[in-house]
Amino acid sequence: MLFAAWFGFKNIKREVDLAQTKSDFVSNVSHELRTPLALISMFTETLAMGRVKSEEKRDEYYEIIQHEIDRLSRIVNKILSFSKIEAGKWKYNFALTQINSLINKIFDTYKFHLQNKGFDFAIEDCSERITAYIDPEAVSEAVINLIDNAVKYSEENKKVIVRYGIESGRVFIEVEDFGIGISSADQKKIFEKFFRVTSGNVHERKGTGLGLTLVNHIIEAHHGEIKLTSDLGKGSKFKLLFPRI
Ligand code: ADP
């Protein structure tokens, strides 16, 4: 009897937790979408009214609008990728890929964005040419998600380092930040879908709780592994490892 009651309670608790997570997710996503929409609406309105006289200011406003549109697309793409994964419809396209140029491409794309945000963004270049049989789009998406998080969860010490190379016969790509860090209890949960750390001031940062779920899925599809080292208040290191072939 006691066991049945305990079992029933566990089931109900799981349902309640899931309902709470779902409602948190909806509110997080709405929050994420609201800010860029509000900015786009404000700046287009100002431009449409012809109130902005200087060419320089107009260019600056167009740039903000473009930046916010990119942000919206990223959020929507993340949700679409997640729902494809959930439905088992995500298709991987594996190909022999140069890791050096893949990382350099990501660095070139994100360098200005990060520097604009006051970050010291560096790659520790690898002298060896590394090729691996991976899905380049998917692995790039995983690394970009890690860089996004490194930026989002940093405070005063704005520094992000990307390293890559070979470790015990496997390819590794690592993203390190010196931000808020993750407690060991939370380290076990952050790869679960919708999960977000709620203690401290983390909830002030926007997010869907899907980024690391995507990273995890991508690495599993590559028969790889994610190693996380993190200290609260000091920073985090996410290392992706996968076989070369
Ligand atoms: P999101 O960032 O959209 O909330 P993620 O799945 O990418 O979702 O991450 C889940 C949670 O893990 C985050 O809400 C955050 O609490 C924690 N987290 C992820 N990356 C980092 C990081 N680099 N430093 C500190 N906390 C992190």
Side-chain angles (χ1 to χ4, degrees), residues 34-199:
R34 207 159 44 192
T35 318
L37 282 175
L39 286 170
I40 293 168
S41 149
M42 185 174 86
F43 283 102
T44 30
E45 215 170 276
T46 316
L47 285 165
M49 284 194 294
R51 285 226 191 111
V52 194
K53 298 288 174 240
S54 95
E55 181 107 355
E56 230 177 26
K57 267 273 168 259
R58 270 200 297 271
D59 284 349
E60 189 189 315
Y61 288 4
Y62 284 128
E63 216 170 279
I64 296 174
I65 292 169
Q66 186 59 54
H67 182 78
E68 293 306 317
I69 290 173
D70 290 345
R71 188 139 80 109
L72 276 179
S73 323
R74 276 206 305 277
I75 301 165
V76 173
N77 282 339
K78 205 184 273 186
I79 297 169
L80 285 178
S81 303
F82 171 75
S83 71
K84 266 192 201 161
I85 284 174
E86 285 281 282
K89 285 186 182 151
W90 179 282
K91 286 236 172 345
Y92 286 94
N93 294 310
F94 285 83
L96 209 58
T97 308
Q98 260 267 352
I99 302 296
N100 310 62
S101 51
L102 181 125
I103 298 293
N104 280 315
K105 211 155 108 193
I106 296 175
F107 183 70
D108 286 342
T109 314
Y110 280 81
K111 141 176 104 185
F112 294 112
H113 174 60
L114 264 75
Q115 282 162 359
N116 272 343
K117 283 179 163 262
F119 275 83
D120 175 0
F121 183 36
I123 319 189
E124 280 185 13
D125 230 333
C126 173
S127 51
E128 195 185 340
R129 301 282 99 187
I130 302 168
T131 43
Y133 194 66
I134 57 165
D135 177 335
E137 291 275 325
V139 171
S140 298
E141 185 163 341
V143 176
I144 290 165
N145 264 305
L146 294 182
I147 295 174
D148 258 354
N149 280 349
V151 169
K152 198 155 64 171
Y153 300 107
S154 283
E155 288 183 321
E156 298 84 35
N157 202 353
K158 295 178 187 294
K159 187 174 171 141
V160 177
I161 306 174
V162 178
R163 297 183 190 88
Y164 65 101
I166 302 286
E167 184 179 285
S168 313
R170 291 195 290 179
V171 176
F172 79 86
I173 304 174
E174 177 178 273
V175 178
E176 180 174 16
D177 68 63
F178 301 84
I180 60 171
I182 306 156
S183 72
S184 42
D186 286 331
Q187 286 180 28
K188 295 186 191 85
K189 300 186 201 150
I190 55 171
F191 296 96
E192 288 169 16
K193 59 185 169 192
F194 311 128
F195 181 83
R196 310 196 69 217
V197 177
T198 46
S199 58

